[in-house]
Amino acid sequence: MTTAADARERRAQLVRARGRALVEAAPGEAGSTPVRDVIRASWRRSLRTVDDDLSSAPLSDEAATEEAWRSSPLQRAVGVLEEELRAVADDGDLVVAVTDPGARILWTCGGRVMRERAERVNFVAGGRWDEASVGTNALDLALRTAGPATVWSAEHYAPAVQGWVCWAAPVLDPHGVPLGVLDLSTTWERSHPLGLTTARAMAALLSHEVAAAARSGAGAPRPAGALRLSLLGAGRAELDGRPLHLTRRQLEVLAVLALSPDGLVADALHDAVYGDAPVSRSTLKAEVSHLRSLLGGAIGSRPYRLLLRCTSDVDVVRRRLRAGDPVGAADAWGGEVLAGAGGTDSPFLRRVDAELSAGLRDAVLATRDRRVALTYAATSGADPHVVRRVLGSPEAR
C-alpha cells in the first residue's frame, strides 16, 4: 500500500524530473526518472506550446460552447445520469467534467472545495484542456490514446494543476468514435485506487445512454414546456410537474431570469444575484450551464434569458394586487421570498420581496376585511401590527 510519505516522495521526484525537462528542453532517457513514457512524450510536446507560468486554461467563446452542448448527444446522456454524476462528485469531493472531442469542457459539477479550485483554473464549461493549450493532462491523454488515463500530481505540465489527480475515460458513440471524455478530478492527497475504475464505469454508462438514444431515434433534448416557480415562502421549482433539485443559489439565478423576461447581460445578472459578494463570473457561468442542462438548453445567452414558458407565484400576487384583489393576493402570498430555502442574498430578489410585502401590507390595511387579515396572518412573514390594526378596527367586516 502506498503511504502518504511514499506519495510525497513520488511527487517530489516528479517535480524534480519536470524541472530537469524544462532546463534541458528534453525529458531525459527512459528509466532515468520516475516518469512514465506517455507522460515524458507529452511533456516534450507541451514544452513547445505552453508557457511554464500558465495559471489557467483559455476559454472558448461562450455562445459557441453553449451551442456545442445543445447539439451534442452527450447532453441527453448527462441529463439521464446527472443524479449519479452529482452523487459521485459530492461523495468524493470531486469535480466531474464532460468534454467534446477536442477536450473543451461542455459540462461540470463538483463538490464545494474542488469546484472552487476548478473555477480558479478555468476547469469550467468552455475551458480548453487540449494538450496544446494547457499541457499534459488526463482529458487530452484519454482522447489521444482512445483509452482511460490517469495524470497524477506533478505529471501535469501546468504548475497550476500539479496539486490535482485526474482520471479520464472516453465516451463513445455507437460506432466507437469518441464524443469526448468523462473526467474525475480531486487533489493528489485524495488519490484513490478506484478513481480510474469509477471514471471508466461512468464513461461506459454515458456511452450506453448515447447508444440507447440513437436506437430510439432521440436527438438532443428540446426545450421543455412549462416551468413553475414557487418563490414566496417555499422556494421550489418544477419542470413539467417534475421537481428540480436546486441549490439556493441556482434557484436564485433561475428566479432572477424568470422575473426578467427581457433578459440580462452577464454583468447585470451577476449583480442581480450576487451584488457585491466576491463571487467570480465563472461561478455564475457554471450555475447557468447547470440550469441550462436541466432545462434542455432553454436558457439563451447575450442576454441570458429563459426560452420556455414560466409561471410563478410572484406573478400571481402582482397581478392580483394590480387588479385590486387583496383576498386573492393574500391567498397567493406564501411569505418572504425563498424563506423556505433560508432566505435570499440576491439584491434583485430582496427588492422583489420588499415590493410585494409593501404592496400586500397596504392592500390589507386598505381593505379592512377580517378574512384578508386572517389569510395574511397565516403566512410566514406577516406583519402582526397590520393584522392587529385590521382586526381591531371598528370598521372591520
Side-chain angles (χ1 to χ4, degrees):
M1 177 180 290
T2 301
T3 66
D6 292 336
R8 286 193 294 271
E9 176 57 26
R10 179 188 173 199
R11 173 177 162 81
Q13 289 177 337
L14 287 166
V15 170
R16 291 193 294 270
R18 182 184 176 281
R20 287 194 296 272
L22 292 177
V23 171
E24 301 166 5
E29 296 299 323
S32 63
T33 72
V35 183
R36 292 178 287 152
D37 290 346
V38 67
I39 299 298
R40 185 181 293 108
S42 178
W43 282 1
R44 182 181 293 112
R45 294 188 297 267
S46 300
L47 275 165
R48 297 194 292 265
T49 61
V50 181
D51 291 337
D52 186 43
D53 59 353
L54 180 78
S55 60
S56 62
L59 287 170
S60 296
D61 177 75
E62 181 180 349
T65 302
E66 292 170 359
E67 178 57 32
W69 182 230
R70 283 196 296 271
S71 61
S72 172
L74 291 173
Q75 187 191 41
R76 180 187 179 279
V78 168
V80 172
L81 295 171
E82 184 165 354
E83 185 174 346
E84 290 86 348
L85 292 170
R86 291 189 176 278
V88 168
D90 290 340
D91 292 346
D93 194 17
L94 302 161
V95 61
V96 179
V98 174
T99 79
D100 68 6
R104 174 181 54 175
I105 295 177
L106 299 178
W107 179 88
T108 66
C109 68
R112 182 183 61 82
V113 174
M114 280 306 298
R115 182 174 175 176
E116 292 173 357
R117 289 174 180 254
E119 289 168 358
R120 289 198 291 268
V121 296
N122 285 341
F123 200 83
V124 296
R128 301 205 322 257
W129 286 81
D130 57 288
E131 186 183 80
S133 295
V134 296
T136 310
N137 69 90
L139 292 77
D140 181 277
L141 200 59
L143 287 166
R144 188 178 295 273
T145 62
T150 299
V151 174
W152 186 84
S153 185
E155 289 182 330
H156 290 92
Y157 185 80
V161 285
Q162 287 181 1
W164 293 31
V165 57
C166 300
W167 303 284
V171 181
L172 308 176
D173 73 6
H175 305 289
V177 177
L179 296 167
V181 299
L182 180 285
D183 177 88
L184 308 177
S185 297
T186 188
T187 59
W188 67 270
E189 300 99 324
R190 298 172 65 87
S191 183
H192 194 282
L194 293 180
L196 188 59
T197 300
T198 304
R200 293 178 66 176
M202 298 309 296
L205 289 172
L206 288 172
S207 300
H208 173 79
E209 291 299 333
V210 169
R215 288 193 299 271
S216 67
R222 297 179 179 179
L227 179 65
R228 168 67 183 170
L229 300 181
S230 299
L231 304 175
L232 301 176
R236 293 191 303 269
E238 294 181 350
L239 181 62
D240 291 332
R242 177 175 56 87
L244 297 178
H245 301 291
L246 305 176
T247 66
R248 190 192 68 174
R249 282 299 200 192
Q250 290 161 357
L251 188 56
E252 286 174 329
V253 173
L254 192 57
V256 170
L257 291 174
L259 298 175
S260 306
D262 294 330
L264 295 168
V265 299
D267 285 346
L269 180 58
H270 186 278
D271 291 344
V273 176
Y274 304 112
D276 295 329
V279 179
S280 70
R281 296 298 190 270
S282 295
T283 295
L284 175 63
K285 290 180 180 180
E287 300 287 23
V288 172
S289 177
H290 171 64
L291 291 170
R292 182 180 289 114
S293 175
L294 287 180
L295 300 181
I299 296 181
S301 59
R302 299 182 182 181
Y304 288 123
R305 62 203 184 281
L306 290 180
L307 302 177
L308 77 173
R309 182 165 53 89
C310 178
T311 59
S312 75
D313 47 4
V314 170
D315 295 326
V316 173
V317 172
R318 281 174 168 170
R319 285 197 304 269
R320 291 179 179 176
L321 287 174
R322 286 196 297 267
D325 177 13
V327 176
D331 280 336
W333 192 67
E336 297 174 355
V337 172
L338 300 188
T344 180
D345 297 324
S346 159
F348 179 98
L349 295 179
R350 284 183 171 179
R351 289 193 295 271
V352 170
D353 185 64
E355 167 213 331
L356 295 183
S357 297
L360 186 58
R361 183 180 188 276
D362 291 345
V364 173
L365 283 171
T367 188
R368 301 297 183 182
D369 189 318
R370 292 179 184 274
R371 290 180 305 144
V372 176
L374 291 172
T375 300
Y376 174 68
T379 59
S380 172
D383 186 336
H385 174 68
V386 173
V387 176
R388 284 195 298 269
R389 279 188 59 183
V390 173
L391 295 181
S393 170
E395 302 173 8
R397 303 185 299 277

